[in-house]
């Protein structure tokens, strides 16, 4: 069925476009500060507005996708996000902040609905690869935006950058409306959302997933700071190593997806990755004062491992849900991820500044160890 790859391509494009906003906008934070006359903490609040909106509506959008289908949900969500991005270009910092909350409120539709589309179109034997492709769109979308958006902001201004994001988001919403449909006989959920949200196995998996975000976002937020400010590596080299880790992690999402298809388990590989991430961050803490190249040799693959697991957790959550309720399950799992992603950078940064870098790295290792403990009580057969 070649059409399922069309659905995957459009879903991955929508996922990457959504990531372009909440992960790509920080690339123009200096321009945002200058345009809106903001302090560093204030621009941090502005950029965090998207995450706030996303956290508030993930479960609701997932439930809507279960009842109404992916096309309607992603089309409405994409159109709403595009309108809010356009609104952000028109006013001052308060309007931009409220508009970015709206971007998150509408953009959250993609997270659950595009994952549900993969679940309905792909059989269990190739679902891990399909979810890996979808999840890889997140770092790729962020990377593409980081390369293009600063050029737009410098040459045409911040409002033009917002309008560029709005235009592409609206274009993807049109593609969704034209190209995405459900397979014949797709099951729609009816009144199962409370059952899904109260499922203990899903709650354990979602909590474990949120814990694994701690090392992921510790590396994402602090890796360059660690190598440059703490260990004296040139900023260009530190940023280059960070980029290598991001690319390797993106390809790792594909690799672990194929692995999970072959062993017909998502939780088993997720356990292995959790142990490797915990061991890697513990090793980095021990190597804090080692020669910087030794630290980098361990830190880069550790950061890549911390990035590669997301597709496994997303697929496991969708497969644990009752038939027709995968959107709600994905909304719950993603809510835990976004909450952790919001809290981790300031907490890890505070620990590094007040206690020390080894403590921040050990915090990441401890979170991965706790995730592995929760996963030891979770069994999830591939359907």
């Amino acid at each position: 069925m070649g059409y399922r790859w069309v659905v995957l391509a459009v879903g991955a494009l929508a996922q990457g476009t959504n990531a372009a906003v909440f992960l790509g906008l920080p690339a123009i934070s200096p321009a945002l500060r200058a345009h809106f006359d903001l302090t560093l903490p204030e621009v941090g609040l502005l950029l965090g507005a998207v995450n706030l909106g996303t956290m508030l509506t993930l479960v609701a959008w997932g439930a809507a996708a279960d009842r109404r289908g992916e096309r309607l949900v992603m089309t409405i969500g994409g159109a709403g996000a595009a309108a809010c991005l356009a609104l952000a270009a028109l006013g001052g910092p308060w309007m931009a902040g409220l508009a970015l909350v709206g971007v998150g409120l509408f953009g959250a539709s993609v997270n659950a609905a595009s994952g549900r589309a993969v679940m309905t179109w792909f059989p269990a034997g190739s679902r891990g690869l399909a979810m890996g492709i979808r999840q890889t769109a997140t770092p790729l979308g962020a990377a593409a935006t980081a390369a293009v958006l600063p050029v737009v902001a410098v040459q045409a201004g911040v409002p033009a950058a917002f309008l560029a994001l709005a235009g592409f988001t609206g274009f993807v919403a049109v593609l969704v409306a034209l190209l995405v449909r459900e397979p014949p006989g797709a099951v729609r959920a009816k009144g199962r959302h409370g059952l899904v949200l109260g499922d203990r196995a899903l709650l354990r998996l979602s909590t474990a997933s949120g814990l694994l975000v701690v090392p992921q976002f510790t590396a994402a937020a602090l890796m360059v700071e660690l190598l440059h400010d703490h260990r004296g590596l040139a900023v260009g080299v530190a940023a280059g190593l960070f980029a290598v880790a991001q690319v390797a992690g993106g390809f790792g999402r594909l690799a672990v997806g194929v692995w999970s298809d072959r062993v017909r388990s998502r939780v088993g590989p997720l356990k292995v990755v959790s142990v490797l991430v915990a061991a890697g961050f513990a090793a980095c803490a021990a190597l804090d004062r080692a020669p910087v190249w030794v630290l980098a040799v361990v830190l880069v693959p550790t950061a890549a491992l911390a990035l590669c697991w997301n597709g496994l957790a997303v697929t496991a959550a969708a497969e644990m849900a009752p038939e027709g309720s995968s959107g709600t399950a994905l909304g719950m799992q993603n809510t835990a991820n976004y909450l952790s992603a919001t809290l981790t950078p300031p907490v890890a940064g505070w620990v590094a500044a007040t206690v020390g870098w080894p403590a921040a790295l050990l915090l990441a290792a401890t979170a991965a160890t706790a995730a592995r403990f929760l996963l030891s009580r979770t069994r999830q057969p591939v359907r």
Side-chain angles (χ1 to χ4, degrees):
M1 296 176 66
Y3 174 73
R4 66 189 182 190
W5 295 101
V6 174
V7 174
L8 175 59
V10 175
L13 183 61
Q15 185 78 12
T17 303
N18 188 47
V21 178
F22 77 90
L23 292 176
L25 272 180
I28 62 167
S29 57
L32 291 172
R33 287 184 64 189
H35 179 74
F36 291 120
D37 192 22
L38 301 175
T39 65
L40 187 60
E42 287 171 344
V43 80
L45 288 173
L46 181 67
L47 295 173
V50 179
N51 279 345
L52 173 62
T54 300
M55 281 191 299
L56 294 175
T57 55
L58 278 164
V59 172
W61 280 118
D66 287 335
R67 293 192 178 193
R68 303 298 181 186
E70 300 91 359
R71 178 167 62 180
L72 179 64
V73 165
M74 286 198 290
T75 300
I76 293 174
C84 289
L85 282 165
L87 184 64
L90 301 179
W94 280 103
M95 179 179 287
L98 292 174
L100 288 177
V101 171
V103 172
L105 291 171
F106 284 103
S109 61
V110 172
N111 292 71
S114 63
R116 187 181 187 276
V118 173
M119 286 296 301
T120 56
W121 276 103
F122 283 81
S126 58
R127 203 175 283 151
L129 171 61
M131 281 289 194
I133 292 172
R134 171 186 175 267
Q135 291 300 114
T136 301
T138 295
L140 291 181
T145 308
V148 174
L149 207 61
V151 177
V152 177
V154 169
Q155 293 188 353
V158 166
F162 280 124
L163 291 174
L165 287 173
F168 195 75
T169 301
F171 169 72
V172 173
V174 172
L175 287 183
V176 169
L178 294 176
L179 298 177
V180 173
R181 66 175 187 269
E182 289 185 288
V187 177
R188 297 281 182 86
K190 295 181 179 179
R192 294 175 176 173
H193 310 306
L195 177 65
V196 174
L197 297 177
D199 185 278
R200 291 186 178 182
L202 275 170
L203 286 171
R204 283 196 297 271
L205 177 68
S206 297
T207 304
S209 182
L211 287 167
L212 284 172
V213 169
V214 175
Q216 179 180 344
F217 271 74
T218 297
L222 301 180
M223 181 175 170
V224 175
E225 294 282 347
L226 169 61
L227 292 174
H228 173 61
D229 289 346
H230 179 56
R231 294 305 314 274
L233 202 62
V235 65
V237 177
L241 291 174
F242 175 70
V244 169
Q246 293 290 303
V247 172
F251 282 108
R253 293 185 177 194
L254 299 178
V256 297
V258 173
W259 175 24
S260 73
D261 285 338
R262 290 183 176 178
V263 300
R264 299 191 63 78
S265 172
R266 318 301 175 195
V267 173
L270 196 55
K271 292 177 181 177
V272 175
V273 172
S274 300
V275 171
L276 293 175
V277 169
F281 275 94
C284 290
L287 294 170
D288 177 60
R289 302 313 307 177
V292 67
W293 67 267
V294 175
L295 175 61
V297 165
V298 178
L299 181 60
V300 169
T302 298
L305 282 168
L307 184 69
C308 76
W309 57 270
N310 298 69
L312 295 174
V314 168
T315 311
E319 290 178 336
M320 285 181 182
E323 189 176 13
S325 299
S326 59
T328 305
L330 291 173
M332 180 171 70
Q333 187 261 348
N334 272 280
T335 298
N337 285 5
Y338 272 84
L339 176 61
S340 186
T342 301
L343 296 176
T344 295
V347 171
W350 179 84
V351 172
T354 59
V355 183
W357 281 99
L361 296 169
L362 286 174
L363 177 65
T366 301
T369 302
R372 174 62 181 85
F373 173 76
L374 284 174
L375 291 170
S376 67
R377 302 176 58 197
T378 303
R379 290 179 173 83
Q380 176 261 326
V382 175
R383 290 202 302 237

